[in-house]
Amino acid sequence: MIFDDLRAIQLRYGFLPKAELEGLSRRTQTPLYQIHSAASFFPHFHLAPPAKAEIRVCADMSCHLNGACDLRAELERHFAGSRSEDVQIRDVSCLGRCDRAPAVSINDEIFTNITPASAEQVARDALRGEDVSEPHAVQGHVACKADPYNDDEKYGVTRKFVLSRAWDDVLVQLKTAELRGMGGAGFPTSMKWDLVRKQTDPVKFVVCNADESEPGTIKDRFIMTNLPHLVIEGMLIAGLVTGAKRGILYIRHEYAQQEEILGEEIRRCYHAGLLGKKILGSDLDFDLEVFVSPGGYICGEETALLEAIEGHRAEPRNKPPFPGQVGLWQKPTVINNVETFINVPQILARGADWFAAQGANGSRGLKFVGVSGHVARPGVFEVPMGTPMREVIFKYAGGVRSGRSLKAFAPSGPSSGYLPASMVDVRLDFKALADAGSMLGSGAIVVCDDTTCMLDMALNAVRFYRNESCGKCVPCRVGSQKMADLLVRWMEGSVSEPEYRADLTLLDDLSQAMSQTSICGLGQIAPAPIQSVLKHFRAEIDAHVLKGQCPSGICFTAASRAGEAQRVGIRP
Ligand SMILES: Cc1cc2nc3c(=O)[nH]c(=O)nc-3n(C[C@H](O)[C@H](O)[C@H](O)COP(=O)(O)O)c2cc1C
Ligand code: SF4
Ligand code: FES
């Protein structure tokens, strides 16, 4: 696992010196080009010494709605005379703190709800060579309906099935419950596990996807903080059912606190004989470890994630074959989202009927959602699947803040596109959201008030995809840049009416080409935000292009013309 070595070198020197990479190559007998190829892919690694104060301002949806542009501009003003070896200010993709926006990272430490003055103070401390960090928020344990256990009953499902070995029964119960994947695609979990179970290869793996890097997505952070035992038990049951003897929990590197919590829980499980060899005195084995992601949204795509674990650039594989047949190190692999895994012990402890009854309006189960943007109480909420969005936004998240009204919401970050306020009664459910032309995705609800410019939000989302595209395939690599260029031109109001009509046709062609020919979901979904804005907020775009007016007063200002800063990303 080459990234552990790279991380250790970076921790020691602040970057990856050439001589150290050469030494690593000799020690591990890995060709230097291979080490360099991986290290240069991930934005987390520095191939040159960084500035003394490396300031990265999150530029994505929730932070953008909470003043990230102004924050960056203020910081740029304060440090205008600084040398580049002292201070560097750049944009960065979502830091996983959307509920405490705006967020910045200074020397790889994350600071939340930050103001220009406090960010400047931290940066000045860093400039003086001081170690900077934000104390972990002290959180009491949050009781969740999803937890079937009192403290002394934890891992009861494991105890029961290690005795009964009714593995087929597990699959039947997951199928009856109609459990679907919570990572975005909604694939039936029992089918995935059954496929791996049927593979004859004696070596198999279970991987938990805790990469969680899409703007607005924060629910897995909450789950890992409050229900780590259910994540571990879900993975363990997957191993026992499919015959996999090794599990890897892949977590984004910005979640150090959750890494600690999970590490402790894993140690407790080894101590209690729930993990390792001869589980609970049986002849069953399952080992579990945490793998810290080298970073980037694309690492959440399941095959890119597997490539990263193998020590390669996180470039998605062509599918088929699917990971269930040819996965990690070419072996059959179950890969599920954190929330999918925690649903397993719930269903097995309380039954499929209980699970079905937790949903509202005909939907099944509970759902953890993150709500951020312009709401009074941003955070993560556990709600019945099928709850109307109106209730999630207005009851759970306290409604639109500062007495403003709702203009739009993204049901699940940029991938879901934006829906107008008139559709706020849509239910939180796979089918209901698909029928509304959107998607349930990972449950990352981002709320926009009536001061928001939807062209600005579409451009923000397109830039996210452009920056996070791994560049492996042409439609996504070139198409996402082309799309961003088109929207910037529209925003500048420098397009004639005939040019605008031609642009719209081009945009449709480009969207189709990207959706149909991109290798992975990133390129396929990248057109969603602008297409949804064209569908629901067309008059607003026409006003920009044809009249040179931004109805929200955001575009055509000096600040908006300043554009984006140099960016830290897979493609800076
Ligand atoms: C660009 C991209 C990023 C993704 N990021 C995540 C992620 O952070 N977490 C996740 O569980 N799934 C993510 N997915 C979906 C995974 O590829 C995969 O479908 C999922 O982990 C399967 O688990 P599930 O069946 O439990 O949903 C992403 C997909 C794409 C295309
Ligand atoms: S669609 Fe984009 S992110 Fe996915 S493989 Fe192609 S270039 Fe990479
Ligand atoms: S932390 Fe900024 S959008 Fe998520």
Side-chain angles (χ1 to χ4, degrees):
M1 294 200 177
I2 198 175
F3 298 120
D4 288 344
D5 291 312
L6 292 175
R7 211 170 280 115
I9 296 174
Q10 182 152 302
L11 203 63
R12 182 152 176 221
Y13 297 94
F15 74 111
L16 303 175
K18 187 163 167 272
E20 288 295 319
L21 295 186
E22 285 166 354
L24 178 63
S25 162
R26 280 193 299 275
R27 265 196 323 281
T28 58
Q29 306 215 321
T30 312
L32 185 60
Y33 80 87
Q34 217 166 303
I35 293 180
H36 190 272
S37 147
S40 60
F41 182 84
F42 299 99
H44 181 54
F45 293 121
H46 311 296
L47 290 167
K52 285 184 193 149
E54 188 79 21
I55 307 171
R56 299 170 177 189
V57 181
C58 173
D60 287 328
M61 283 167 96
S62 315
C63 291
H64 188 66
L65 288 167
N66 280 288
C69 272
D70 291 342
L71 170 63
R72 196 192 74 214
E74 277 276 294
L75 288 169
E76 279 170 348
R77 216 163 42 78
H78 285 301
F79 291 105
S82 304
R83 297 178 312 166
S84 60
E85 56 269 39
D86 287 336
V87 180
Q88 273 225 332
I89 302 171
R90 294 190 281 177
D91 283 351
V92 71
S93 297
C94 176
L95 293 165
R97 307 295 195 280
C98 324
D99 50 342
R100 300 206 290 268
V104 300
S105 140
I106 300 178
N107 291 359
D108 284 337
E109 290 289 334
I110 297 176
F111 298 83
T112 57
N113 281 331
I114 197 147
T115 60
S118 51
E120 186 191 347
Q121 181 59 52
V122 178
R124 295 217 180 273
D125 292 347
L127 251 176
R128 281 194 297 274
E130 291 173 22
D131 281 340
V132 293
S133 67
E134 182 177 65
H136 283 171
V138 183
Q139 276 175 330
H141 179 77
V142 181
C144 300
K145 273 184 93 179
D147 193 349
Y149 300 130
N150 293 320
D151 260 358
D152 53 347
E153 298 166 343
K154 281 183 187 168
Y155 301 96
V157 165
T158 306
R159 291 176 212 285
K160 178 176 150 196
F161 280 93
V162 165
L163 275 183
S164 74
R165 301 191 178 218
W167 310 128
D168 286 333
D169 191 38
V170 171
L171 292 178
V172 169
Q173 290 202 48
L174 298 187
K175 189 171 178 192
T176 311
E178 295 179 24
L179 177 62
R180 295 174 64 173
M182 297 292 167
F187 191 80
T189 306
S190 63
M191 275 174 70
K192 198 181 270 191
W193 289 22
D194 196 30
L195 175 70
V196 178
R197 182 166 161 73
K198 286 189 175 129
Q199 304 301 308
T200 52
D201 197 317
V203 180
K204 302 176 186 179
F205 295 99
V206 174
V207 175
C208 175
N209 189 343
D211 190 58
E212 181 154 90
S213 302
E214 176 151 353
T217 315
I218 43 176
K219 66 167 177 89
D220 292 341
R221 192 190 75 211
F222 177 93
I223 293 172
M224 290 186 284
T225 308
N226 292 290
L227 301 166
H229 55 291
L230 296 189
V231 183
I232 291 168
E233 187 166 44
M235 292 184 72
L236 173 53
I237 299 286
L240 298 179
V241 168
T242 58
K245 291 190 173 11
R246 189 170 162 200
I248 297 178
L249 197 152
Y250 186 104
I251 190 168
R252 66 177 299 180
H253 67 81
E254 293 89 346
Y255 283 178
Q257 190 183 7
Q258 288 66 35
E259 194 190 323
E260 244 171 64
I261 292 172
L262 287 160
E264 255 175 50
E265 184 66 20
I266 289 173
R267 275 191 292 282
R268 263 197 292 275
C269 287
Y270 271 103
H271 191 68
L274 286 153
L275 286 174
K277 303 273 172 278
K278 302 190 185 308
I279 292 169
L280 298 172
S282 70
D283 59 350
L284 301 165
D285 307 332
F286 190 73
D287 281 298
L288 182 53
E289 68 202 278
V290 173
F291 179 94
V292 179
S293 173
Y297 170 56
I298 193 56
C299 293
E301 197 282 335
E302 56 189 8
T303 59
L305 181 153
L306 299 178
E307 288 289 312
I309 296 179
E310 291 181 14
H312 305 141
R313 295 164 79 86
E315 290 175 351
R317 301 174 182 168
N318 280 315
K319 290 190 269 188
F322 292 96
Q325 291 162 307
V326 182
L328 187 59
W329 290 299
Q330 312 297 308
K331 300 296 180 186
T333 303
V334 168
I335 174 161
N336 279 119
N337 172 255
V338 171
E339 191 179 8
T340 314
F341 279 122
I342 69 150
N343 276 310
V344 172
Q346 282 179 65
I347 292 166
L348 299 179
R350 292 155 156 174
D353 288 344
W354 175 89
F355 184 75
Q358 299 315 299
N361 306 307
S363 303
R364 294 165 166 265
L366 298 161
K367 179 85 191 88
F368 285 93
V369 289
V371 189
S372 61
H374 291 146
V375 283
R377 278 198 307 273
V380 176
F381 306 98
E382 183 185 32
V383 305
M385 189 79 101
T387 305
M389 280 288 178
R390 179 189 295 282
E391 207 176 314
V392 178
I393 295 172
F394 288 93
K395 186 177 134 197
Y396 289 89
V400 181
R401 67 170 187 229
S402 312
R404 310 263 4 156
S405 58
L406 178 69
K407 177 169 184 178
F409 60 100
S412 190
S415 331
S416 64
Y418 297 95
L419 295 179
S422 58
M423 294 175 79
V424 73
D425 288 313
V426 65
R427 290 183 304 107
L428 187 81
D429 172 81
F430 287 104
K431 182 167 184 313
L433 279 159
D435 290 348
S438 181
M439 63 196 265
L440 176 72
S442 57
I445 301 162
V446 182
V447 173
C448 306
D449 73 14
D450 55 352
T451 64
T452 311
C453 168
M454 297 314 294
L455 178 54
D456 179 50
M457 291 309 289
L459 176 61
N460 180 269
V462 168
R463 278 178 169 156
F464 168 74
Y465 288 119
R466 189 267 323 265
N467 294 322
E468 295 300 316
S469 158
C470 79
K472 178 172 174 172
C473 65
V474 173
C476 169
R477 183 179 69 232
V478 180
S480 57
Q481 180 62 57
K482 182 80 193 159
M483 212 169 246
D485 292 344
L486 268 179
L487 301 198
V488 168
R489 254 163 43 93
W490 289 2
M491 238 178 186
E492 287 170 347
S494 56
V495 179
S496 68
E497 189 163 349
E499 284 171 332
Y500 180 40
R501 307 275 159 232
D503 277 0
L504 287 169
T505 310
L506 177 63
L507 189 65
D508 277 345
D509 288 350
L510 194 56
S511 300
Q512 265 197 32
M514 289 175 74
S515 301
Q516 290 171 13
T517 63
S518 293
I519 288 180
C520 86
L522 190 153
Q524 291 159 9
I525 207 72
I530 180 60
Q531 287 299 348
S532 66
V533 167
L534 277 168
K535 181 171 171 193
H536 299 296
F537 301 94
R538 176 62 186 270
E540 206 171 303
I541 304 207
D542 287 350
H544 281 80
V545 187
L546 303 176
K547 298 187 196 148
Q549 290 169 1
C550 172
S552 308
I554 285 175
C555 311
F556 310 113
T557 60
S560 75
R561 288 209 170 88
E564 56 183 334
Q566 194 194 351
R567 177 118 178 177
V568 179
I570 297 283
R571 290 168 59 213

